mmCIF file of all heavy atoms in Angstrom:
data_model
loop_
_atom_site.group_PDB
_atom_site.id
_atom_site.type_symbol
_atom_site.label_atom_id
_atom_site.label_comp_id
_atom_site.label_asym_id
_atom_site.label_seq_id
_atom_site.Cartn_x
_atom_site.Cartn_y
_atom_site.Cartn_z
ATOM 1 N N SER A 397 7.120 -1.927 14.717
ATOM 2 C CA SER A 397 6.532 -0.840 13.907
ATOM 3 C C SER A 397 5.792 -1.278 12.725
ATOM 4 O O SER A 397 4.771 -0.727 12.429
ATOM 5 C CB SER A 397 7.646 0.073 13.428
ATOM 6 O OG SER A 397 8.517 -0.492 12.492
ATOM 7 N N GLY A 398 6.204 -2.446 12.043
ATOM 8 C CA GLY A 398 5.428 -2.909 10.894
ATOM 9 C C GLY A 398 4.134 -3.420 11.302
ATOM 10 O O GLY A 398 3.091 -3.164 10.671
ATOM 11 N N LEU A 399 4.051 -4.240 12.485
ATOM 12 C CA LEU A 399 2.738 -4.702 12.866
ATOM 13 C C LEU A 399 1.781 -3.621 13.350
ATOM 14 O O LEU A 399 0.618 -3.572 12.786
ATOM 15 C CB LEU A 399 3.006 -5.627 14.054
ATOM 16 C CG LEU A 399 1.758 -6.258 14.749
ATOM 17 C CD1 LEU A 399 0.931 -7.092 13.707
ATOM 18 C CD2 LEU A 399 2.209 -7.115 15.937
ATOM 19 N N LEU A 400 2.216 -2.699 14.149
ATOM 20 C CA LEU A 400 1.422 -1.567 14.592
ATOM 21 C C LEU A 400 0.998 -0.701 13.400
ATOM 22 O O LEU A 400 -0.176 -0.298 13.328
ATOM 23 C CB LEU A 400 2.204 -0.752 15.525
ATOM 24 C CG LEU A 400 2.546 -1.413 16.946
ATOM 25 C CD1 LEU A 400 3.391 -0.483 17.841
ATOM 26 C CD2 LEU A 400 1.330 -1.843 17.654
ATOM 27 N N ALA A 401 1.877 -0.409 12.496
ATOM 28 C CA ALA A 401 1.511 0.464 11.414
ATOM 29 C C ALA A 401 0.597 -0.198 10.312
ATOM 30 O O ALA A 401 -0.438 0.457 9.887
ATOM 31 C CB ALA A 401 2.753 0.783 10.679
ATOM 32 N N LEU A 402 0.654 -1.485 10.220
ATOM 33 C CA LEU A 402 -0.269 -2.243 9.339
ATOM 34 C C LEU A 402 -1.658 -2.227 9.909
ATOM 35 O O LEU A 402 -2.587 -1.969 9.172
ATOM 36 C CB LEU A 402 0.206 -3.688 9.123
ATOM 37 C CG LEU A 402 -0.630 -4.506 8.173
ATOM 38 C CD1 LEU A 402 -0.790 -3.943 6.860
ATOM 39 C CD2 LEU A 402 -0.021 -5.893 8.074
ATOM 40 N N LEU A 403 -1.808 -2.626 11.274
ATOM 41 C CA LEU A 403 -3.067 -2.500 11.896
ATOM 42 C C LEU A 403 -3.731 -1.110 11.868
ATOM 43 O O LEU A 403 -4.949 -0.985 11.559
ATOM 44 C CB LEU A 403 -3.010 -3.077 13.319
ATOM 45 C CG LEU A 403 -2.452 -4.446 13.469
ATOM 46 C CD1 LEU A 403 -2.441 -4.821 14.912
ATOM 47 C CD2 LEU A 403 -3.439 -5.498 12.861
ATOM 48 N N ALA A 405 -2.950 1.416 9.745
ATOM 49 C CA ALA A 405 -3.294 1.760 8.423
ATOM 50 C C ALA A 405 -4.461 1.093 7.859
ATOM 51 O O ALA A 405 -5.293 1.727 7.171
ATOM 52 C CB ALA A 405 -2.090 1.405 7.456
ATOM 53 N N THR A 406 -4.748 -0.164 8.209
ATOM 54 C CA THR A 406 -5.980 -0.876 7.950
ATOM 55 C C THR A 406 -7.260 -0.125 8.400
ATOM 56 O O THR A 406 -8.253 -0.004 7.760
ATOM 57 C CB THR A 406 -5.939 -2.327 8.245
ATOM 58 O OG1 THR A 406 -4.730 -2.921 7.780
ATOM 59 C CG2 THR A 406 -7.127 -3.057 7.865
ATOM 60 N N ALA A 409 -7.715 3.211 6.679
ATOM 61 C CA ALA A 409 -8.139 3.177 5.246
ATOM 62 C C ALA A 409 -9.449 2.486 4.974
ATOM 63 O O ALA A 409 -10.231 2.716 4.026
ATOM 64 C CB ALA A 409 -7.072 2.384 4.443
ATOM 65 N N PHE A 465 5.453 7.403 9.980
ATOM 66 C CA PHE A 465 5.785 7.359 8.659
ATOM 67 C C PHE A 465 5.251 6.029 7.955
ATOM 68 O O PHE A 465 4.705 6.018 6.894
ATOM 69 C CB PHE A 465 7.316 7.386 8.351
ATOM 70 C CG PHE A 465 7.731 7.171 6.948
ATOM 71 C CD1 PHE A 465 7.685 8.268 6.063
ATOM 72 C CD2 PHE A 465 8.218 5.919 6.513
ATOM 73 C CE1 PHE A 465 8.127 8.010 4.796
ATOM 74 C CE2 PHE A 465 8.523 5.743 5.197
ATOM 75 C CZ PHE A 465 8.503 6.791 4.321
ATOM 76 N N ALA A 466 5.369 4.927 8.706
ATOM 77 C CA ALA A 466 4.848 3.670 8.171
ATOM 78 C C ALA A 466 3.396 3.660 8.055
ATOM 79 O O ALA A 466 2.849 3.079 7.045
ATOM 80 C CB ALA A 466 5.312 2.493 9.150
ATOM 81 N N ILE A 467 2.608 4.197 9.013
ATOM 82 C CA ILE A 467 1.173 4.223 8.842
ATOM 83 C C ILE A 467 0.753 5.056 7.597
ATOM 84 O O ILE A 467 -0.099 4.701 6.885
ATOM 85 C CB ILE A 467 0.717 4.905 10.190
ATOM 86 C CG1 ILE A 467 0.750 3.968 11.317
ATOM 87 C CG2 ILE A 467 -0.904 5.248 9.929
ATOM 88 C CD1 ILE A 467 0.334 4.670 12.643
ATOM 89 N N TRP A 468 1.377 6.279 7.492
ATOM 90 C CA TRP A 468 1.066 7.080 6.267
ATOM 91 C C TRP A 468 1.284 6.371 5.010
ATOM 92 O O TRP A 468 0.523 6.533 4.060
ATOM 93 C CB TRP A 468 1.805 8.414 6.378
ATOM 94 C CG TRP A 468 1.286 9.375 5.376
ATOM 95 C CD1 TRP A 468 1.938 9.642 4.175
ATOM 96 C CD2 TRP A 468 0.145 10.251 5.483
ATOM 97 N NE1 TRP A 468 1.225 10.608 3.465
ATOM 98 C CE2 TRP A 468 0.136 11.027 4.243
ATOM 99 C CE3 TRP A 468 -0.795 10.480 6.421
ATOM 100 C CZ2 TRP A 468 -0.838 11.947 4.024
ATOM 101 C CZ3 TRP A 468 -1.783 11.426 6.112
ATOM 102 C CH2 TRP A 468 -1.815 12.125 4.973
ATOM 103 N N MET A 469 2.444 5.675 4.865
ATOM 104 C CA MET A 469 2.751 5.087 3.654
ATOM 105 C C MET A 469 1.894 3.794 3.411
ATOM 106 O O MET A 469 1.323 3.572 2.339
ATOM 107 C CB MET A 469 4.157 4.548 3.727
ATOM 108 C CG MET A 469 4.650 3.797 2.416
ATOM 109 S SD MET A 469 6.433 3.542 2.292
ATOM 110 C CE MET A 469 6.950 5.171 1.841
ATOM 111 N N LEU A 470 1.617 2.962 4.460
ATOM 112 C CA LEU A 470 0.779 1.809 4.347
ATOM 113 C C LEU A 470 -0.679 2.141 4.080
ATOM 114 O O LEU A 470 -1.425 1.292 3.543
ATOM 115 C CB LEU A 470 0.952 0.916 5.480
ATOM 116 C CG LEU A 470 2.254 0.193 5.735
ATOM 117 C CD1 LEU A 470 2.267 -0.557 6.977
ATOM 118 C CD2 LEU A 470 2.482 -0.814 4.589
ATOM 119 N N ARG A 471 -1.072 3.255 4.484
ATOM 120 C CA ARG A 471 -2.574 3.639 4.304
ATOM 121 C C ARG A 471 -2.827 3.644 2.812
ATOM 122 O O ARG A 471 -3.937 3.160 2.371
ATOM 123 C CB ARG A 471 -2.790 5.029 4.908
ATOM 124 C CG ARG A 471 -4.128 5.539 4.505
ATOM 125 C CD ARG A 471 -4.299 6.975 5.085
ATOM 126 N NE ARG A 471 -5.450 7.658 4.526
ATOM 127 C CZ ARG A 471 -5.518 8.426 3.436
ATOM 128 N NH1 ARG A 471 -4.431 8.473 2.699
ATOM 129 N NH2 ARG A 471 -6.560 8.930 3.037
ATOM 130 N N GLY A 472 -1.954 4.185 1.958
ATOM 131 C CA GLY A 472 -2.211 4.190 0.508
ATOM 132 C C GLY A 472 -2.242 2.775 -0.047
ATOM 133 O O GLY A 472 -3.049 2.532 -1.026
ATOM 134 N N PHE A 473 -1.356 1.792 0.436
ATOM 135 C CA PHE A 473 -1.354 0.417 -0.021
ATOM 136 C C PHE A 473 -2.658 -0.169 0.308
ATOM 137 O O PHE A 473 -3.297 -0.993 -0.541
ATOM 138 C CB PHE A 473 -0.147 -0.244 0.441
ATOM 139 C CG PHE A 473 1.122 0.090 -0.278
ATOM 140 C CD1 PHE A 473 1.815 1.116 0.168
ATOM 141 C CD2 PHE A 473 1.502 -0.661 -1.402
ATOM 142 C CE1 PHE A 473 3.074 1.496 -0.506
ATOM 143 C CE2 PHE A 473 2.709 -0.361 -1.982
ATOM 144 C CZ PHE A 473 3.479 0.695 -1.533
ATOM 145 N N VAL A 474 -3.179 0.018 1.570
ATOM 146 C CA VAL A 474 -4.363 -0.668 2.034
ATOM 147 C C VAL A 474 -5.578 -0.123 1.215
ATOM 148 O O VAL A 474 -6.415 -0.831 0.832
ATOM 149 C CB VAL A 474 -4.518 -0.488 3.545
ATOM 150 C CG1 VAL A 474 -5.933 -1.062 3.968
ATOM 151 C CG2 VAL A 474 -3.404 -1.143 4.308
ATOM 152 N N ALA A 475 -5.599 1.180 1.023
ATOM 153 C CA ALA A 475 -6.754 1.773 0.323
ATOM 154 C C ALA A 475 -6.750 1.340 -1.114
ATOM 155 O O ALA A 475 -7.851 1.324 -1.760
ATOM 156 C CB ALA A 475 -6.600 3.321 0.442
ATOM 157 N N ALA A 476 -5.550 0.948 -1.702
ATOM 158 C CA ALA A 476 -5.550 0.500 -3.183
ATOM 159 C C ALA A 476 -6.097 -0.873 -3.286
ATOM 160 O O ALA A 476 -6.344 -1.292 -4.419
ATOM 161 C CB ALA A 476 -4.176 0.610 -3.678
ATOM 162 N N VAL A 504 -0.439 -5.939 0.387
ATOM 163 C CA VAL A 504 0.156 -4.877 1.132
ATOM 164 C C VAL A 504 1.675 -5.076 1.300
ATOM 165 O O VAL A 504 2.396 -4.230 1.788
ATOM 166 C CB VAL A 504 -0.569 -4.596 2.455
ATOM 167 C CG1 VAL A 504 0.138 -3.386 3.088
ATOM 168 C CG2 VAL A 504 -2.045 -4.379 2.128
ATOM 169 N N ALA A 505 2.164 -6.250 0.800
ATOM 170 C CA ALA A 505 3.614 -6.603 1.092
ATOM 171 C C ALA A 505 4.557 -5.572 0.529
ATOM 172 O O ALA A 505 5.603 -5.331 1.195
ATOM 173 C CB ALA A 505 3.854 -8.079 0.522
ATOM 174 N N PRO A 506 4.340 -5.095 -0.662
ATOM 175 C CA PRO A 506 5.248 -3.973 -1.076
ATOM 176 C C PRO A 506 5.414 -2.885 -0.234
ATOM 177 O O PRO A 506 6.475 -2.320 0.003
ATOM 178 C CB PRO A 506 4.690 -3.623 -2.529
ATOM 179 C CG PRO A 506 3.867 -4.794 -2.898
ATOM 180 C CD PRO A 506 3.374 -5.435 -1.776
ATOM 181 N N GLY A 507 4.262 -2.474 0.331
ATOM 182 C CA GLY A 507 4.456 -1.342 1.321
ATOM 183 C C GLY A 507 5.059 -1.694 2.526
ATOM 184 O O GLY A 507 5.836 -0.905 3.188
ATOM 185 N N LEU A 508 4.902 -2.903 3.056
ATOM 186 C CA LEU A 508 5.611 -3.384 4.225
ATOM 187 C C LEU A 508 7.085 -3.430 3.991
ATOM 188 O O LEU A 508 7.972 -3.185 4.831
ATOM 189 C CB LEU A 508 5.071 -4.747 4.639
ATOM 190 C CG LEU A 508 3.781 -4.783 5.401
ATOM 191 C CD1 LEU A 508 3.352 -6.214 5.517
ATOM 192 C CD2 LEU A 508 3.783 -4.081 6.710
ATOM 193 N N VAL A 509 7.457 -3.901 2.704
ATOM 194 C CA VAL A 509 8.845 -3.901 2.410
ATOM 195 C C VAL A 509 9.544 -2.526 2.477
ATOM 196 O O VAL A 509 10.618 -2.239 3.029
ATOM 197 C CB VAL A 509 9.072 -4.467 0.984
ATOM 198 C CG1 VAL A 509 10.468 -4.270 0.438
ATOM 199 C CG2 VAL A 509 8.724 -5.942 1.111
ATOM 200 N N THR A 511 8.430 0.216 4.094
ATOM 201 C CA THR A 511 8.479 0.774 5.392
ATOM 202 C C THR A 511 9.537 0.040 6.220
ATOM 203 O O THR A 511 10.066 0.595 7.188
ATOM 204 C CB THR A 511 7.106 0.670 6.173
ATOM 205 O OG1 THR A 511 6.560 -0.727 6.023
ATOM 206 C CG2 THR A 511 6.125 1.548 5.385
#
Side-chain angles (χ1 to χ4, degrees):
S397 64
L399 177 61
L400 295 178
L402 180 58
L403 296 176
T406 303
F465 175 82
I467 292 175
W468 187 264
M469 177 171 288
L470 286 175
R471 170 184 170 272
F473 283 88
V474 175
V504 183
L508 284 174
V509 169
T511 56

